[in-house]
């Protein structure tokens, strides 16, 4: 009887319901790439831009061996993967690991638990993310359907930016001068800008569709610094998921997507035979320079002649705040019996963080008259350590960080009005400590210092619920009365509106050290970042696993 029992246990373990192990190998190599009628060497994974797509199912274990063949230090972040107790595989340099040095390798090892949908991976060191990125497609468990009619086909659509110059040179020059870096020269859709005025001969990405069929487009914004509008001429899109969480479906002709965010839409090929323009254009409703070049691709009905004219679409104005808000305000969690929205109804830690820019002295920054632009959270400009925070925490290494990150701004001012006379910030490597299973409410407030700006804030290790948002300064007495605690959208990256605020809630049920930062790479470089330290709970199932033997050394 005992042997039969063992047999059934083994059978159950091998069943697809328990997930399988998937192996990938990422060779980080230099490749020459031609875009905008010029060629430059770029850092790639397996020689591709965008890089390869990771496919897995919910409950699968994923092992990805990353081998560094380039001159730069490298790490890869699996953006949006919860990494339950596996912070060593999260990937941000000097937060959860030291980088993989040239000639070295590291195996990222994690299990996808309670997640399904579209996420993405990207380099998380220097500005390598500009070309080192790709999609993560997490399919539901076998036999589990989508909570919407299954599309006939699926396609990954990665939006990004392209610089003619070497991106490391771009940011290094900016840091030396103290000023903002040059904006990109083009946007791309699956690696291609499409024809642009100074390079009309270059082709673009083409998606072939059959009349009457439905297509799920897994749209990812992998751009460094730009929020984007996405449209398809003549076609409506049904939004079904953002950041790998299902939403109440709704139709739109325009989506807005910030760096670090993903959006799944279903498109029906229900228009007349032909070719239709797909467009990705910038959204910026603040007086900040952006790359105003629209990337184009083609939705091509199979059988339509290549010479047939393309139906065009107009892109929203660059500052079309109302178009963006119409889309963002329509996002609500599916909140079904099978996919409930588990919004924390009570709050253990109520935090208020300002996010914005500042100016600090820089005697060598001659172009900026002896000062430099910086960024901060609660007036703390984060200083990157030389030992990874997670290692320092796990091994009890002193002097790497402090746990006194302020729960509120150190001084109060009219955040979205006239800025204070002193625009300086303090420097520090500070984390905010949370006990295991604490509920957290965080209000993120934009400031008007230098300029108000939308900040797409990404929290590693967790999903959170957007319970409220508004313009102007957050009012702790009146604004919470309008919070949505029933079906708020669940995300891992949220845009703090220009001159406004958002309120998010989550459960700190993942022990480790978790980075939170602006996903505009220039703001992260300038210091708009911090980390949460979540203590272990009770017993091994609520505790961080020990580091793997091949964890890179600093």
């Amino acid at each position: 009887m005992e042997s039969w029992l063992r047999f059934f246990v083994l059978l159950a373990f091998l069943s697809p319901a328990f997930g399988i192990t998937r192996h990938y190998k990422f060779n980080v190599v230099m490749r020459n790439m031609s875009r905008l009628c010029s060629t430059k060497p770029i850092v790639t994974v397996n020689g591709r831009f965008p890089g390869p797509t990771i496919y897995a199912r919910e409950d699968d274990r994923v092992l990805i061996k990353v081998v560094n063949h380039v001159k730069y230090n490298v790490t890869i972040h699996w953006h949006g993967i919860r990494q339950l107790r596996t912070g060593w595989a999260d990937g941000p340099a000097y937060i959860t690991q030291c980088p993989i040095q040239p000639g070295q390798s590291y195996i990222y090892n994690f299990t996808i638990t309670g997640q399904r949908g579209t996420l993405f991976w990207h380099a998380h060191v220097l500005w390598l993310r500009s070309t080192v990125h790709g999609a993560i497609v997490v399919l539901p468990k076998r036999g589990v359907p989508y909570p919407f009619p299954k599309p006939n086909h699926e396609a990954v659509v990665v939006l990004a930016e392209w610089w003619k110059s070497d991106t490391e040179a771009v940011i290094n020059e900016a840091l030396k001068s103290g000023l903002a870096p040059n904006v990109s020269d083009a946007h791309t859709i699956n690696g291609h800008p499409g024809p642009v005025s100074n390079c009309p001969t270059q082709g673009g990405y083409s998606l072939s569709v059959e009349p009457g069929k439905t297509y799920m487009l897994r749209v990812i914004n992998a751009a460094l610094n730009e929020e984007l509008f996405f449209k398809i001429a003549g076609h409506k899109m049904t939004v079904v998921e953002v950041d790998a969480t299902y939403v109440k479906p709704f139709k739109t002709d325009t989506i807005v997507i910030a760096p670090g965010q993903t959006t799944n839409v279903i498109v029906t090929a229900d228009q007349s035979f032909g070719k239709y323009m797909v467009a990705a254009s910038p959204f910026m409703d603040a007086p900040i320079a952006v790359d105003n070049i629209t990337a184009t691709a083609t939705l091509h009905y199979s059988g339509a002649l290549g010479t047939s004219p393309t139906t065009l679409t107009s892109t929203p104005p660059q500052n079309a705040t109302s178009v963006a808000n119409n889309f963002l305000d329509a996002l609500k969690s599916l909140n079904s019996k099978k996919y409930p929205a588990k919004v924390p109804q009570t709050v253990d830690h109520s935090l208020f963080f300002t996010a914005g820019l500042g100016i600090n002295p820089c005697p060598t920054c001659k172009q900026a008259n002896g000062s430099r632009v910086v960024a901060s959270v609660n007036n703390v400009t984060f200083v990157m350590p030389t030992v990874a925070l997670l290692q320092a925490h796990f091994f009890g290494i002193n002097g790497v960080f402090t746990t006194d990150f302020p729960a509120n701004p150190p001084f109060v001012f009219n955040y979205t009005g006239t800025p204070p006379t002193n625009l300086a910030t303090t420097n520090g490597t500070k984390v905010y400590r949370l006990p295991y299973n604490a509920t957290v409410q965080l209000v993120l407030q934009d400031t008007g210092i230098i300029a108000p700006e939308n900040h797409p804030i990404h929290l590693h290790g967790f999903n959170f619920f957007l319970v409220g948002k508004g313009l102007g300064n957050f009012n702790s007495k009146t604004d919470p009365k309008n919070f949505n605690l029933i079906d708020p959208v669940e995300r891992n990256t949220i845009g703090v509106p220009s001159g406004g605020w958002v309120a998010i809630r989550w459960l700190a049920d993942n022990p480790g050290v978790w980075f939170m930062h602006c996903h505009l790479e220039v703001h992260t470089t300038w210091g708009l970042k911090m980390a949460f330290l979540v203590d272990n709970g009770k017993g091994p199932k609520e505790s961080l696993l020990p580091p793997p033997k091949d964890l890179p050394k600093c």
Side-chain angles (χ1 to χ4, degrees):
M1 192 66 160
E2 210 170 287
S3 60
W4 275 106
L5 190 62
R6 278 202 300 271
F7 172 76
F8 281 117
V9 167
L10 183 64
L11 199 65
F13 184 73
L14 294 173
S15 152
F18 283 80
I20 62 171
T21 299
R22 297 179 187 262
H23 295 267
Y24 287 88
K25 188 172 183 185
F26 277 18
N27 284 305
V28 182
V29 293
M30 300 300 296
R31 280 289 180 274
N32 282 336
M33 289 266 172
S34 296
R35 299 288 185 274
L36 306 178
C37 293
S38 67
T39 302
K40 70 169 184 174
I42 62 169
V43 184
T44 68
V45 166
N46 298 350
R48 294 162 62 182
F49 168 70
T53 298
I54 296 279
Y55 287 95
R57 287 192 183 275
E58 183 182 348
D59 285 346
D60 283 355
R61 183 182 177 208
V62 183
L63 296 173
I64 306 157
K65 184 174 185 179
V66 177
V67 187
N68 184 4
H69 299 282
V70 301
K71 66 180 180 181
Y72 302 105
N73 286 343
V74 169
T75 69
I76 305 285
H77 170 50
W78 317 96
H79 184 113
I81 297 285
R82 286 286 316 274
Q83 299 291 0
L84 288 164
R85 301 171 52 234
T86 53
W88 309 106
D90 192 41
Y94 301 106
I95 306 297
T96 59
Q97 68 166 98
C98 298
I100 307 164
Q101 295 175 22
Q104 302 295 307
S105 66
Y106 179 46
I107 296 172
Y108 289 92
N109 179 354
F110 55 88
T111 298
I112 301 168
T113 305
Q115 293 184 274
R116 77 296 306 162
T118 305
L119 296 167
F120 77 118
W121 57 265
H122 60 79
H124 214 305
V125 62
L126 307 172
W127 272 33
L128 298 186
R129 173 161 73 89
S130 62
T131 56
V132 179
H133 60 250
I136 302 173
V137 173
V138 182
L139 299 167
K141 299 177 197 179
R142 287 195 184 278
V144 176
Y146 294 126
F148 46 82
K150 186 181 179 186
N152 299 114
H153 302 281
E154 299 183 9
V156 167
V157 179
V158 181
L159 312 179
E161 290 174 277
W162 184 267
W163 278 259
K164 282 187 175 182
S165 305
D166 172 38
T167 48
E168 292 310 308
V170 169
I171 185 56
N172 288 339
E173 180 57 37
L175 291 174
K176 189 177 165 188
S177 72
L179 300 171
N182 292 337
V183 299
S184 54
D185 296 295
H187 297 105
T188 58
I189 300 175
N190 281 349
H192 299 279
V196 292
S197 58
N198 56 359
C199 186
T201 56
Q202 99 188 326
Y205 171 70
S206 182
L207 175 65
S208 182
V209 299
E210 292 180 47
K213 296 288 177 71
T214 56
Y215 295 80
M216 181 153 75
L217 306 185
R218 299 175 176 271
V219 186
I220 297 163
N221 187 347
L224 251 60
N225 295 314
E226 311 226 326
E227 288 196 80
L228 296 166
F229 290 117
F230 180 80
K231 289 185 75 172
I232 303 172
H235 292 74
K236 290 274 191 187
M237 297 176 277
T238 301
V239 181
V240 293
E241 178 214 297
V242 296
D243 291 5
T245 61
Y246 296 130
V247 296
K248 291 183 173 71
F250 66 95
K251 289 196 168 180
T252 183
D253 64 358
T254 308
I255 69 170
V256 65
I257 183 165
Q261 293 182 333
T262 65
T263 303
N264 282 9
V265 297
I266 293 177
V267 179
T268 303
D270 56 3
Q271 299 301 301
S272 55
F273 224 49
K275 298 190 301 183
Y276 294 83
M277 174 181 168
V278 180
S281 63
F283 166 52
M284 172 56 77
D285 57 356
I288 306 286
V290 293
D291 170 2
N292 63 4
I293 304 292
T294 297
T296 58
T298 307
L299 191 77
H300 191 143
Y301 281 66
S302 57
L305 294 174
T307 53
S308 53
T310 301
T311 302
L312 303 179
T313 184
S314 60
T315 56
Q318 182 180 300
N319 62 350
T321 309
S322 60
V323 175
N325 283 342
N326 285 344
F327 172 77
L328 296 170
D329 293 345
L331 294 171
K332 298 281 187 289
S333 280
L334 187 59
N335 195 26
S336 65
K337 192 171 180 183
K338 183 157 190 182
Y339 303 104
K342 297 177 181 175
V343 189
Q345 300 295 307
T346 59
V347 174
D348 299 323
H349 288 251
S350 185
L351 309 176
F352 184 85
F353 289 1
T354 55
L357 305 181
I359 297 176
N360 281 351
C362 173
T364 60
C365 299
K366 292 188 173 57
Q367 284 173 271
N369 297 323
S371 61
R372 72 159 67 250
V373 181
V374 294
S376 67
V377 181
N378 271 357
N379 211 50
V380 179
T381 295
F382 189 87
V383 176
M384 291 299 271
T386 53
V387 174
L389 298 184
L390 190 60
Q391 286 171 284
H393 165 57
F394 188 85
F395 294 109
I397 304 168
N398 293 324
V400 178
F401 64 87
T402 57
T403 56
D404 57 345
F405 190 89
N408 293 282
F411 58 95
V412 176
F413 63 99
N414 181 1
Y415 305 115
T416 55
T418 306
T421 51
N422 183 4
L423 303 184
T425 66
T426 59
N427 294 325
T429 309
K430 300 173 184 286
V431 304
Y432 188 90
R433 192 166 204 149
L434 290 165
Y436 183 82
N437 256 0
T439 53
V440 187
Q441 177 177 292
L442 170 59
V443 175
L444 289 159
Q445 172 76 57
D446 181 35
T447 74
I449 295 176
I450 299 182
E453 194 173 346
N454 187 314
H455 299 284
I457 301 291
H458 172 49
L459 176 62
H460 291 228
F462 301 95
N463 280 357
F464 51 74
F465 292 95
L466 172 67
V467 296
K469 68 182 260 232
L471 289 177
N473 297 333
F474 175 72
N475 186 316
S476 60
K477 290 190 173 60
T478 57
D479 286 327
K481 293 174 183 173
N482 299 315
F483 282 0
N484 175 5
L485 302 180
I486 297 166
D487 62 352
V489 68
E490 184 180 351
R491 306 205 74 145
N492 63 56
T493 305
I494 191 68
V496 181
S498 294
W501 57 271
V502 295
I504 61 176
R505 287 188 182 186
W506 74 93
L507 177 68
D509 60 351
N510 195 5
V513 178
W514 304 108
F515 207 21
M516 190 181 80
H517 61 97
C518 183
H519 226 267
L520 302 179
E521 202 63 31
V522 60
H523 289 174
T524 294
T525 303
W526 284 344
L528 209 165
K529 48 196 173 184
M530 56 82 66
F532 288 98
L533 191 166
V534 179
D535 287 317
N536 285 339
K538 294 174 183 169
K541 294 233 168 125
E542 295 181 357
S543 299
L544 178 68
L545 290 165
K549 288 191 170 61
D550 65 337
L551 187 71
K553 293 180 170 58
C554 285

